[in-house]
Amino acid sequence: MEESVKDKVRQILTEYLQANGHRKTPERYAILDTIYSIKGHFDIDTLYHYMETEGNFRVSRATLYNTIVLLIDANLVIKHQFGTSSQFERAYRNETHHHMICTECGQVAEFQNTTLREAIGSIKLKRFTASHYSLYIYGICSKCVKAKNKKTNNIKSK
Amino acid sequence: MEESVKDKVRQILTEYLQANGHRKTPERYAILDTIYSIKGHFDIDTLYHYMETEGNFRVSRATLYNTIVLLIDANLVIKHQFGTSSQFERAYRNETHHHMICTECGQVAEFQNTTLREAIGSIKLKRFTASHYSLYIYGICSKCVKAKNKKTNNIKSK
DNA sequence: GTCAGTGCAAACTTTTTGCAACTAC
DNA sequence: GTAGTTGCAAAAAGTTTGCACTGAC
């Protein structure tokens, strides 16, 4: 299953590159492969290090930035913008999910909700062709709630 | 109405500062006032220039960054992360809305949808205390669809 | 052979930080 | 008077860009 997904996305990339007059460089396929080996979200720096360790392929950060743009355009990667650096995740056969982001520690957790997915899916927008969406729910995770309560109590008891 | 909102948020800020042992500096009130004069989203740079022109108050960017953190913590400002720089908007008495973001030109439009708002509002999350959320729908706005079609046609006709 | 793509380093942008001066309390 | 804040400038972090070299076509 995993390998067949990788084959499929390689094929999609090939078609995309051909259709848009881009070259089929080994870097692009290596980057795509590595991305589809990562399960959750990643940023450029993480991907950079993953490339060498997991993918056994050294590329420059510049190439990663360049390639990511192509992959997003080819609908193979989705870009997120929580935290300080851009986060990405694979797009092909990646189940729809939403994000809970802790405003204290920055931790990102995913969750699924069918009702919500259907509600969002059925929206009709005027003058806009939707391709994908991101729902970020901000709040405080249970760990940080505990930490914060401690802190508050300390202040109060001063 | 506008002025009463400003009074109210000033009061909320005062309470927040007092409760957390922060000082009531003129900078903080001037920044809050300027923010509540801005209708849509803004980034730090926009706010910086607005402060001088609209608010007649000069503050450093560092102070803006510092103050924004407080205002977010006081639930008076919401932070977004589309585009290259962080975007903000007022939180108090700001109607719930969702965002359409054009992946071509970066334009951000807002829309409202009751069904959706209720669906999101009724979600129960485990081990997470939600405070607010952001729904970003990515796609292509009508202007860019037209521009893109032209471009594609040009390539094809080469 | 040609030109898109790559690697590298420098440049740029946004945000954070250190420190002296200032001021709310 | 003192410690929290501010302004400034330097530093940091993430991303983009210019340019020479490389390799896909």
Side-chain angles (χ1 to χ4, degrees):
Chain A
M1 150 71 182
E2 269 306 307
E3 282 312 309
S4 73
V5 168
K6 284 196 178 183
D7 286 343
K8 181 64 183 166
V9 292
R10 260 190 291 258
Q11 188 191 321
I12 294 173
L13 177 59
T14 299
E15 284 163 13
Y16 170 81
L17 294 175
Q18 250 157 11
N20 292 275
H22 293 301
R23 292 182 180 171
K24 304 181 199 70
T25 68
E27 285 83 359
R28 287 172 177 165
Y29 288 96
I31 292 167
L32 181 69
D33 250 51
T34 305
I35 288 176
Y36 273 77
S37 299
I38 298 174
K39 273 176 191 132
H41 304 93
F42 59 90
D43 60 14
I44 291 288
D45 202 58
T46 306
L47 179 58
Y48 179 76
H49 293 297
Y50 247 77
M51 288 295 298
E52 270 193 295
T53 55
E54 301 289 307
N56 283 315
F57 203 105
R58 229 216 54 107
V59 285
S60 67
R61 283 164 209 277
T63 298
L64 289 181
Y65 280 109
N66 287 335
T67 306
I68 280 279
V69 171
L70 294 181
L71 295 178
I72 291 170
D73 196 45
N75 291 317
L76 289 169
V77 167
I78 286 175
K79 182 177 183 175
H80 292 285
Q81 300 247 142
F82 29 69
T84 82
S85 61
S86 297
Q87 302 276 323
F88 306 90
E89 67 179 317
R90 52 210 245 194
Y92 183 78
R93 282 218 196 151
N94 194 355
E95 290 189 325
T96 309
H97 55 263
H98 316 293
H99 302 84
M100 301 183 278
I101 303 163
C102 177
T103 51
E104 288 290 314
C105 66
Q107 191 205 68
V108 179
E110 300 176 359
F111 70 95
Q112 309 216 13
N113 185 305
T114 311
T115 314
L116 193 53
R117 193 180 64 217
E118 285 166 1
I120 297 173
S122 65
I123 300 170
K124 310 261 184 207
L125 295 169
K126 292 170 192 166
R127 297 177 198 171
F128 198 81
T129 309
S131 63
H132 65 282
Y133 66 87
S134 297
L135 174 65
Y136 305 141
I137 300 192
Y138 297 94
I140 302 177
C141 70
S142 53
K143 279 185 190 174
C144 289
V145 166
K146 287 173 194 166
K148 211 172 184 181
N149 285 343
K150 271 191 185 175
K151 200 179 158 193
T152 310
N153 290 338
N154 288 344
I155 292 171
K156 279 181 184 167
S157 61
K158 260 186 189 172
Chain B
M1 149 71 181
E2 268 306 308
E3 282 309 309
S4 73
V5 167
K6 284 197 179 184
D7 286 342
K8 181 63 185 168
V9 293
R10 260 190 291 257
Q11 189 191 322
I12 294 173
L13 177 58
T14 300
E15 284 163 13
Y16 170 82
L17 294 176
Q18 251 157 8
N20 292 274
H22 293 300
R23 289 185 182 170
K24 306 181 196 70
T25 67
E27 285 83 359
R28 288 173 177 165
Y29 288 96
I31 292 167
L32 181 67
D33 249 52
T34 306
I35 287 176
Y36 273 77
S37 299
I38 299 174
K39 272 175 190 134
H41 303 95
F42 59 91
D43 60 16
I44 291 289
D45 201 57
T46 306
L47 179 58
Y48 179 75
H49 294 297
Y50 247 77
M51 287 296 295
E52 270 192 297
T53 56
E54 301 288 308
N56 282 314
F57 203 106
R58 228 214 58 103
V59 286
S60 66
R61 284 162 208 277
T63 299
L64 289 181
Y65 281 108
N66 287 335
T67 306
I68 281 280
V69 171
L70 294 181
L71 296 178
I72 290 170
D73 196 46
N75 292 316
L76 289 169
V77 166
I78 287 174
K79 182 178 185 176
H80 292 286
Q81 300 250 144
F82 28 70
T84 82
S85 63
S86 297
Q87 302 277 322
F88 305 90
E89 67 179 317
R90 54 210 245 196
Y92 183 77
R93 282 221 196 148
N94 194 355
E95 289 189 323
T96 309
H97 55 264
H98 315 293
H99 301 84
M100 300 184 277
I101 302 162
C102 177
T103 51
E104 288 290 314
C105 66
Q107 192 204 67
V108 179
E110 300 177 359
F111 71 94
Q112 308 215 12
N113 185 305
T114 311
T115 315
L116 192 54
R117 193 180 63 216
E118 284 166 2
I120 297 173
S122 65
I123 300 170
K124 310 261 183 204
L125 295 169
K126 292 171 191 166
R127 296 177 199 172
F128 198 82
T129 310
S131 64
H132 65 282
Y133 66 86
S134 297
L135 174 63
Y136 306 141
I137 301 193
Y138 297 94
I140 302 177
C141 70
S142 53
K143 279 185 189 174
C144 289
V145 166
K146 286 173 195 165
K148 210 171 186 182
N149 285 344
K150 271 191 185 174
K151 199 179 157 194
T152 310
N153 290 339
N154 287 344
I155 291 171
K156 280 180 184 167
S157 61
K158 260 188 190 173

